[in-house]
Amino acid sequence: MSITVAILSGSPNPQSRLAGVISHLERRLAERGATVDHLAAAALPAEDLILGRFDSHAVREAIERVARADAVVVASPVYKASCTGLLKTLLDLLPQKSLEGKTVLPVMIGGTIAHLLAIGFALKPVLSALGARHFAGEVYALDTQVSRTESPSGASYELQEELRQRLDAAVEKLVEETRAAESAPLV
């Protein structure tokens, strides 16, 4: 059974270290047979996000993409002990129960282990307000665990083994729990 996983990225920089983490997640999800729909908040019109234009074509399309997903990965760098404002504006435009019934995986990356709690204290409450009740764990990465190399063809990323293992385990859990939820009988 194929599942669709929406990856919501809150990074304002498409070549940030978070891009390396997301790229790894996309590859692993595809290897597990999932269809991946990467939705970068930075790709949406800034005015639509900032002014809360629920009726904008781009915002409506983003909402529909999240609605079609069976599972959602919400990824952000840590800014000021929280997710980026860019991600928060996108989340603010989602309908109240848009994550209800979906398996959700929060992923954050930051410069220090001191921001590890940003997932539990800043991101998860927002996701819960959107109806998320089933989390497939969480992954916090340090900037130092992702190295970026620039080349004429673009950036490439190398993730430390320990981080790759945690991401792989999170993907496995996300896929298995989403498939189990989809095949569970309705009560």
Side-chain angles (χ1 to χ4, degrees):
M1 167 185 4
S2 180
I3 63 169
T4 299
V5 179
I7 298 179
L8 307 182
S9 170
S11 179
N13 179 356
Q15 294 188 338
S16 70
R17 285 178 172 78
L18 182 64
V21 171
I22 290 172
S23 178
H24 182 84
L25 289 168
E26 288 173 332
R27 278 192 310 277
R28 291 297 189 242
L29 285 163
E31 288 169 5
R32 295 285 286 124
T35 300
V36 178
D37 182 7
H38 184 177
L39 175 58
L44 296 171
E47 262 192 35
D48 290 350
L49 290 172
I50 296 300
L51 298 176
R53 292 185 177 146
F54 295 91
D55 61 343
S56 121
H57 173 74
V59 169
R60 282 195 324 268
E61 183 181 308
I63 290 169
E64 289 169 9
R65 290 167 64 184
V66 172
R68 284 192 299 266
D70 302 302
V72 179
V73 174
V74 181
S76 177
V78 175
Y79 282 16
K80 308 291 187 219
S82 186
C83 65
T84 62
L86 181 60
L87 178 63
K88 181 65 169 69
T89 58
L90 173 59
L91 294 174
D92 285 346
L93 291 172
L94 295 178
Q96 187 69 31
K97 298 296 180 187
S98 60
L99 298 181
E100 193 171 65
K102 298 182 188 304
T103 308
V104 179
L105 174 64
V107 176
M108 294 186 90
I109 187 168
T112 173
I113 196 69
H115 288 129
L116 169 69
L117 297 177
I119 292 177
F121 287 108
L123 185 56
K124 276 186 166 179
V126 175
L127 301 177
S128 293
L130 291 170
R133 300 289 178 267
H134 188 78
F135 292 96
E138 59 189 48
V139 177
Y140 180 82
L142 290 169
D143 287 340
T144 56
Q145 292 179 299
V146 182
S147 59
R148 180 179 61 208
T149 306
E150 295 294 331
S151 70
S153 61
S156 62
Y157 304 90
E158 181 65 35
L159 280 60
Q160 287 182 2
E161 179 62 25
E162 186 272 339
L163 176 58
R164 280 196 311 269
Q165 289 175 4
R166 288 189 296 120
L167 290 168
D168 292 351
V171 164
E172 188 68 26
K173 185 173 182 181
L174 180 74
V175 170
E176 291 306 317
E177 291 183 10
T178 303
R179 285 186 175 144
E182 297 235 325
S183 63
L186 297 174
V187 185

